[in-house]
Amino acid sequence: MRKTLLAIATAVAGLGMVAATSLPALAVDTVVTFSITTAGLTISAPSTANLGSVTAGATSVSGQIGPVTVTDDRATLNGSWNATAISTDFTTGGGTGPETIGNINVTYSPGPATATTGQGTFTPGPGGIINVPRVAFTGTNLVGDNTATWNPTVTVTIPSAAVGGTYSGTVTHSVG
C-alpha cells in the first residue's frame, strides 16, 4: 500500500510540474495605444490700450498696455518659443508729417512675467525701440504645455514738432 501511495504522489507531483510550466494552447497579444493630441502656439493681447494724456510740451507718454499671454499647447519635449513686438507709427488727423510720431520713438519694456504655468524657463526680452521686431519674451527648455503672461510698458517719445490730437498706432505681438 505504501508503494501505491508513493507512486500516486509522484505522479501527481509530476503533473503539477507540467501544469505549472506549460503555456495555454491558444494565446493572443493585444497592443494597446493611445494618442495625446496637441494644439498649437498662440499669443493674445488686449485689442486696445490707452496711455493717457499729456500736456503740450511733454517729452513722452508711457503706460502698461495690459496682459500679453503666450499659450503653448504643443506638448513639446525641450521646446522653445520667441515672442516679439513691433510698432507702427502713431498718427492723428490726416497723418501729415507734424501729425505723425514715427515708430523710432516707441520703446517697449516687457517687465517680468506676471504668471507662468508648466515646466520651462521664461525670460523677458531686453526691451528697446520697436521700429523692428524685438524679442518681448522667450520660453526655453519647455516640457509639455506651458503659458507665460507679462504686462509690457510702452513709451512714446514725443517730438517737439508734434501737434495736438489723439494719436493711435498699433503694437503687434507675434510668437514662433
Side-chain angles (χ1 to χ4, degrees):
M1 175 89 167
R2 258 181 174 217
K3 281 187 175 182
T4 305
L5 287 175
L6 182 59
I8 292 172
T10 304
V12 169
L15 286 175
M17 286 296 283
V18 170
T21 59
S22 66
L23 296 175
L26 297 173
V28 62
D29 294 334
T30 301
V31 176
V32 178
T33 63
F34 68 94
S35 297
I36 297 176
T37 58
T38 62
L41 181 63
T42 60
I43 192 165
S44 63
S47 58
T48 62
N50 188 329
L51 300 182
S53 297
V54 294
T55 59
T59 58
S60 67
V61 62
S62 183
Q64 291 183 307
I65 63 171
V68 177
T69 301
V70 169
T71 302
D72 183 355
D73 290 330
R74 300 174 298 166
T76 61
L77 175 62
N78 197 28
S80 65
W81 51 256
N82 288 308
T84 60
I86 188 171
S87 176
T88 63
D89 293 341
F90 280 70
T91 61
T92 190
T96 65
E99 296 171 308
T100 300
I101 299 174
N103 61 357
I104 191 75
N105 295 303
V106 182
T107 59
Y108 183 97
S109 176
T114 57
T116 62
T117 64
Q119 182 180 336
T121 303
F122 306 98
T123 309
I129 298 170
I130 54 173
N131 61 328
V132 296
R134 301 279 182 203
V135 173
F137 235 87
T138 61
T140 56
N141 302 314
L142 304 170
V143 178
D145 293 342
N146 60 84
T147 63
T149 301
W150 63 97
N151 191 358
T153 299
V154 170
T155 301
V156 179
T157 301
I158 303 170
S160 60
V163 299
T166 300
Y167 287 77
S168 65
T170 301
V171 173
T172 301
H173 290 90
S174 303
V175 67

